[in-house]
Amino acid sequence: MFTTRPTLQGTFGMVSSTHWLASQSAMAVLEDGGNAYDAAVAGAFVLHVVEPHLNGPAGEVPILLAPAGGEVRVLCGQGVAPAGATIEHYRSLGLDLVPGTGPLAAAVPGAFDAWMLLLRDHGTKSLADVLKYAVGYAEDGHACVENVGATVETVRELFETEWTTSADVYLPDGKSPRPGELFRNPALAATWQRLLAEVAGAGDREAQIEAARAVWRSGFVAEALVRQAGRPTMDTSGERHTGTLTAADLASWSASYEAPATYDWNGWTLCKAGPWSQGPVLLQQLALLPTELPAYGSADYVHLLIEGCKLAMADREAWYGDADAVPLDDLLSAEYNAARRRLIDGKASHELRPGSPGGLAPRLCEHARVVAPAEPGFDPMGAGEPTVARLTADGGTRGDTCHLDVVDRWGNMIAATPSGGWLQSNPVVPELGFPLGTRLQMTWLEAGLPNSLAPGRRPRTTLTPSIALRDGVPVLAFGTPGGDQQDQWQLHFFLAVATRAKARGGLDLQGAIDAPNWHNDSFPGSFYPRGMRPGSVTVESRMDEAVVEELRRRGHDVTVGDAWSEGRLCAVARDPEAGILSAAANPRGMQGYAVGR
């Protein structure tokens, strides 16, 4: 079949990411003898430099890793709410929602420590070896993709009048970054160079990494982050607020390992982060599928996936979070899903219908029960994932986050979705060259909910990488940017891989990525201002017109977007019997790339 690019195949190593410079930097580490985890850390820090509108060092990252011969693990790089981040404090400021920008929305930064933990425990390279690529691009410059400058232009007035430290980096001489011109971030380069200098005498490789973690948590980096959090900052509320992040918050938190949430489906086992993320939504969507699927791509097929997604997302809203124990076993049980499946008929549902696993009553916050439809168009002070991912008039999204997958010749595999700390989230910390994040905007200012704002709790994140096993063996790592769309796009991709005919003797990764995709917004959005569009479906114009008309006949509010506007998937795979590695990347946006040999 025709695809935009080939599915790469080789035996040495494969990388796929949302930016070609990150992919090639990671591949350079593999070529230099590093393993998949060394390569992923190098690629991740390059993503901070080349996609600053999509992620940053003070953001967050969930990581799924499958060491050769070992068990799949989740490395949680999602920081918690600071000790001072209470519902009472935010309500006392006259707020009904956590602002979408500014220091009040900042959780304890999680990404840096997660990458350091990965490098320490599973890598082989030194910190200097993996950071040199990011330092080089920050110091010497790189040619920006168009969306960096476009994002800066949407917040130009804010940068020039309020967030002037951001203007210093992203509007030098009043000009935003432009394609074909070198863009530099010398402050960021200086931060990593100072960090490396401070840890150089700490001892061996692992001791230097531990020293770097200490510098981040209690050294010059921590001091600068706390100073920034204490500066009054204009946010989406239209007021200036200070944040709650303290030195004690930074010093007391670290990334951690945990077991994945899993679901077995037709010989596959899907592994996701737990319900502090939206990851189990993909598992619930699989559990809701009937034994026999309708014809791939048919109106029956698309309708089934859309309606199943609505039910899973309603459960996400009612049950997922970092509070009490989430009844995940019940949510994934055959009995529960048989009953839920009967709610899917031939018509589009326009209701939010959470279930009652184990007979428990679902809990929805007041905002979710009365939430207004999302307004079309872009609001530069709004903050989706990131701000540029807000719904547009054509129903599409712009921006999103990042993703990175690696598999090496030894069989080590990793999938990671870095995000947060983007340039439009908070002012640049002048001493560091990057901003704080805004993940607390995903929590509710109402007590007693699974995702209520509370000190020490993780905000429920939309970031959701995937690893799939076949007959118990890890064979596929994948993921996508896209906020609430991530597990919608990933479901369609996975089913395309798992159910369609194989191409060229292996999994048809590129064909599955290229296939026309869609999403719906029939549930409260995870990002400020938390809107929803009941009954909505946004499809690519490449979808069969007869399918579109049939969906409309069934009551779906269909918006036809651009031909290549839905889904931004990356994927790598490994065939353990043939010894073949493969990779593919999303052509949408013209910057994702897979490399390998």
Side-chain angles (χ1 to χ4, degrees):
M1 69 178 281
F2 173 80
T3 57
T4 57
R5 305 166 180 176
T7 295
L8 305 185
Q9 293 186 322
T11 58
F12 180 82
M14 291 284 163
V15 182
S16 179
S17 87
T18 49
H19 196 290
W20 63 84
L21 291 180
S23 295
Q24 188 53 49
S25 297
M27 191 66 201
V29 173
L30 294 181
E31 295 284 4
D32 195 41
N35 65 20
Y37 308 116
D38 299 312
V41 176
F45 278 87
V46 170
L47 285 173
H48 295 160
V49 179
V50 301
E51 293 192 315
H53 59 312
L54 306 179
N55 78 138
E60 45 273 324
V61 59
I63 301 169
L64 266 67
L65 58 150
E71 295 184 351
V72 176
R73 300 290 288 170
V74 176
L75 177 50
C76 174
Q78 175 56 65
V80 299
T86 64
I87 291 174
E88 294 74 20
H89 175 61
Y90 286 66
R91 290 287 189 179
S92 73
L93 299 173
L95 298 171
D96 296 320
L97 294 172
V98 177
T101 59
L104 277 177
V108 177
F112 180 86
D113 196 63
W115 291 119
M116 292 301 99
L117 206 61
L118 178 71
L119 184 65
R120 184 197 72 183
D121 295 344
H122 298 278
T124 64
K125 293 290 189 179
S126 71
L127 183 57
D129 283 339
V130 296
L131 277 183
K132 65 184 180 183
Y133 305 94
V135 171
Y137 288 126
E139 184 173 37
D140 301 327
H142 66 283
C144 279
V145 295
E146 184 176 356
N147 280 342
V148 175
T151 302
V152 172
E153 284 299 321
T154 65
V155 288
R156 171 184 283 274
E157 183 179 354
L158 177 67
F159 281 14
E160 291 177 336
T161 60
E162 295 282 347
W163 297 7
T164 56
T165 58
S166 296
D168 292 341
V169 174
Y170 292 105
L171 289 168
D173 301 320
K175 296 180 179 179
S176 59
R178 299 178 181 180
E181 297 179 1
L182 286 179
F183 173 74
R184 297 176 175 86
N185 188 340
L188 178 57
T191 294
W192 299 143
Q193 289 165 334
R194 179 177 174 182
L195 176 76
L196 291 171
E198 289 196 9
V199 306
D204 62 12
R205 187 189 78 90
E206 292 185 12
Q208 290 185 16
I209 295 170
E210 280 300 296
R213 296 179 72 201
V215 169
W216 180 274
R217 293 160 66 179
S218 58
F220 80 92
V221 175
E223 293 168 358
L225 293 174
V226 171
R227 280 194 299 271
Q228 184 62 44
R231 294 181 176 120
T233 301
M234 180 67 72
D235 60 36
T236 52
S237 72
E239 302 290 337
R240 297 180 183 88
H241 293 114
T242 57
T244 61
L245 185 69
T246 66
D249 295 318
L250 283 162
S252 62
W253 184 85
S254 65
S256 59
Y257 294 99
E258 59 189 56
T262 64
Y263 184 75
D264 295 330
W265 183 83
N266 286 7
W268 295 81
T269 299
L270 270 290
C271 300
K272 302 290 284 187
W276 54 267
S277 78
Q278 77 172 11
V281 162
L282 179 57
L283 309 183
Q284 283 197 252
Q285 290 178 97
L286 287 172
L288 283 163
L289 293 176
T291 302
E292 296 293 330
L293 292 178
Y296 177 87
S298 66
D300 286 341
Y301 179 87
V302 178
H303 175 79
L304 174 68
L305 267 57
I306 292 169
E307 294 304 302
C309 175
K310 292 175 185 177
L311 295 175
M313 283 296 198
D315 278 345
R316 182 195 75 166
E317 200 53 53
W319 299 106
Y320 290 20
D322 197 30
D324 302 325
V326 177
L328 193 56
D329 287 344
D330 288 324
L331 289 169
L332 294 175
S333 70
E335 181 182 15
Y336 178 78
N337 284 283
R340 296 284 277 167
R341 196 178 301 120
R342 288 193 289 270
L343 296 176
I344 301 174
D345 56 23
K347 295 294 183 181
S349 170
H350 288 230
E351 301 176 27
L352 190 67
R353 299 183 291 177
S356 300
L360 300 172
R363 296 168 292 175
L364 293 173
C365 79
E366 183 66 25
H367 185 85
R369 292 194 293 270
V370 300
V371 65
E375 293 293 334
F378 174 75
D379 172 9
M381 286 299 290
E385 181 161 32
T387 304
V388 289
R390 291 284 305 285
L391 287 170
T392 58
D394 65 359
T397 56
R398 301 292 182 266
D400 304 319
T401 181
C402 306
H403 189 78
L404 174 71
D405 301 310
V406 188
V407 61
D408 63 28
R409 61 189 185 275
W410 300 287
N412 299 302
M413 187 176 288
I414 183 170
T417 310
S419 189
W422 41 68
L423 66 85
Q424 63 275 36
S425 63
N426 259 298
V428 166
V429 183
E431 305 94 323
L432 302 177
F434 59 83
L436 287 164
T438 56
R439 194 59 56 173
L440 291 186
Q441 67 178 289
M442 310 184 81
T443 61
W444 295 114
L445 297 181
E446 182 179 330
L449 301 169
N451 194 33
S452 297
L453 176 68
R457 286 183 186 170
R458 293 169 288 190
R460 187 191 68 217
T461 179
T462 54
L463 308 173
T464 173
S466 301
I467 284 181
L469 288 65
R470 183 70 175 167
D471 299 322
V473 179
V475 296
L476 179 65
F478 61 99
T480 179
D484 294 314
Q485 286 80 47
Q486 289 184 29
D487 282 310
Q488 302 185 56
W489 292 336
Q490 288 186 61
L491 175 68
H492 184 207
F493 164 81
F494 173 72
L495 290 178
V497 169
T499 64
R500 297 173 73 187
K502 291 184 177 181
R504 295 171 54 217
L507 299 177
D508 183 16
L509 302 183
Q510 194 64 52
I513 289 173
D514 287 356
N517 217 319
W518 62 84
H519 81 272
N520 84 91
D521 300 290
S522 297
F523 47 85
S526 294
F527 298 90
Y528 183 94
R530 313 302 296 268
M532 65 184 287
R533 295 195 303 159
S536 72
V537 178
T538 302
V539 306
E540 292 181 322
S541 62
R542 293 181 296 127
M543 182 176 282
D544 189 313
E545 291 184 8
V547 171
V548 172
E549 289 309 309
E550 176 60 19
L551 292 175
R552 285 175 171 152
R553 191 190 68 78
R554 297 185 185 199
H556 295 281
D557 180 11
V558 181
T559 298
V560 178
D562 292 339
W564 296 91
S565 56
E566 294 287 320
R568 295 163 183 81
L569 282 133
C570 299
V572 300
R574 173 176 176 264
D575 184 335
E577 295 182 1
I580 299 295
L581 310 178
S582 56
N586 170 51
R588 301 163 179 89
M590 297 188 295
Q591 66 183 68
Y593 248 89
V595 296
R597 68 174 180 86

